Amino acid sequence: MKIFKTAAALAVFLSSAVLAQETQDAMAVAQERAMDLGPAIGSQAPTDWSLPDQTGTVRTLADISGPSGTVIFFNRSLDWCPFCQNQTIELEMMYEAFVERGYGVAVLTYEPVETNARFAAEHASRVVLLADEGSVVIRQFDILDPVYIGRSGRFDGLPYPVAFALSPTGEVKAKFWHEPGFGEDRGYRIRVSTEDVLTSLDTLKVE
């Protein structure tokens, strides 16, 4: 019996060690890739896509864009991620500031229309909430979170929290990302502020 307990404890220890190494490796990849995730500034973002919004209406980039362009926030979840929810609520509060600058603003998650519709109803959202079930557009933008690639359940197809300011034709004019991390260093908890994004848009207008 003692031998069995020792063997079981050893198996748990080895399993934990393997998981810790896999996590460390994933984090190393994430650290290297954080600023390089998705299309680079000055490059062309994917534009050949269409997704349903919170009302079920299929939208394209051209539909969402204002005369100055579009700001798209790729977020994890408007169901189980409080940081994504808070950021989207902040965006809604500053919605008119984007419109005044000539920008459309959208939040894209991998969740179904029903989830986005529920959130929109609760918060009277004017921000376009795009449902990318299957993470097709997330993969087109190449922003799958390196920490969770290959994992199942709600982590399957999870995007890294990043935002792009796009011109009306899809050129990447600005990019906002968050440092990766676990534990107290979980970078996804600290999002770029709406104020910082608007300041960046003002700088683009001056240029």
Side-chain angles (χ1 to χ4, degrees), residues 56-138:
T57 303
V58 176
R59 308 291 291 273
T60 66
L61 180 63
D63 294 331
I64 302 167
S65 179
S68 299
T70 311
V71 183
I72 300 181
F73 291 78
F74 287 83
N75 263 332
R76 294 164 177 260
S77 169
L78 294 179
D79 178 38
W80 53 262
C81 176
F83 314 107
C84 304
Q85 295 168 349
N86 290 338
Q87 184 181 45
T88 304
I89 291 170
E90 182 182 87
L91 287 173
E92 179 59 40
M93 293 172 62
M94 300 298 291
Y95 176 81
E96 293 297 340
F98 285 94
V99 174
E100 289 169 3
R101 289 164 172 78
Y103 284 89
V105 59
V107 170
L108 184 153
T109 74
Y110 68 170
E111 292 169 321
V113 170
E114 292 75 17
T115 299
N116 291 343
R118 184 168 59 251
F119 183 90
E122 291 173 356
H123 301 283
S125 298
R126 293 164 295 174
V127 172
V128 177
L129 307 180
L130 298 172
D132 184 21
E133 281 193 272
S135 303
V136 175
V137 176
I138 290 168

Side-chain angles (χ1 to χ4, degrees), residues 1-179:
M1 186 67 175
K2 184 176 181 181
I3 294 176
F4 175 78
K5 288 183 177 179
T6 302
L10 179 60
V12 171
F13 172 78
L14 292 175
S15 177
S16 298
V18 170
L19 180 59
Q21 183 59 53
E22 289 178 349
T23 298
Q24 185 176 358
D25 292 343
M27 281 302 303
V29 172
Q31 291 285 359
E32 292 175 0
R33 290 202 61 199
M35 67 183 298
D36 296 323
L37 285 169
I41 294 174
S43 69
Q44 183 70 22
T47 58
D48 186 21
W49 52 265
S50 58
L51 292 171
D53 65 14
Q54 61 263 46
T55 70
T57 303
V58 176
R59 308 291 291 273
T60 66
L61 180 63
D63 294 331
I64 302 167
S65 179
S68 299
T70 311
V71 183
I72 300 181
F73 291 78
F74 287 83
N75 263 332
R76 294 164 177 260
S77 169
L78 294 179
D79 178 38
W80 53 262
C81 176
F83 314 107
C84 304
Q85 295 168 349
N86 290 338
Q87 184 181 45
T88 304
I89 291 170
E90 182 182 87
L91 287 173
E92 179 59 40
M93 293 172 62
M94 300 298 291
Y95 176 81
E96 293 297 340
F98 285 94
V99 174
E100 289 169 3
R101 289 164 172 78
Y103 284 89
V105 59
V107 170
L108 184 153
T109 74
Y110 68 170
E111 292 169 321
V113 170
E114 292 75 17
T115 299
N116 291 343
R118 184 168 59 251
F119 183 90
E122 291 173 356
H123 301 283
S125 298
R126 293 164 295 174
V127 172
V128 177
L129 307 180
L130 298 172
D132 184 21
E133 281 193 272
S135 303
V136 175
V137 176
I138 290 168
R139 287 183 169 87
Q140 286 181 358
F141 272 76
D142 191 25
I143 55 169
L144 285 173
D145 193 325
V147 173
Y148 300 108
I149 288 177
R151 300 198 183 188
S152 58
R154 74 180 188 184
F155 299 113
D156 182 26
L158 197 68
Y160 195 84
V162 62
F164 297 91
L166 307 177
S167 74
T169 59
E171 180 185 354
V172 180
K173 307 299 291 185
K175 183 175 173 181
F176 313 92
W177 67 91
H178 318 276
E179 293 302 318

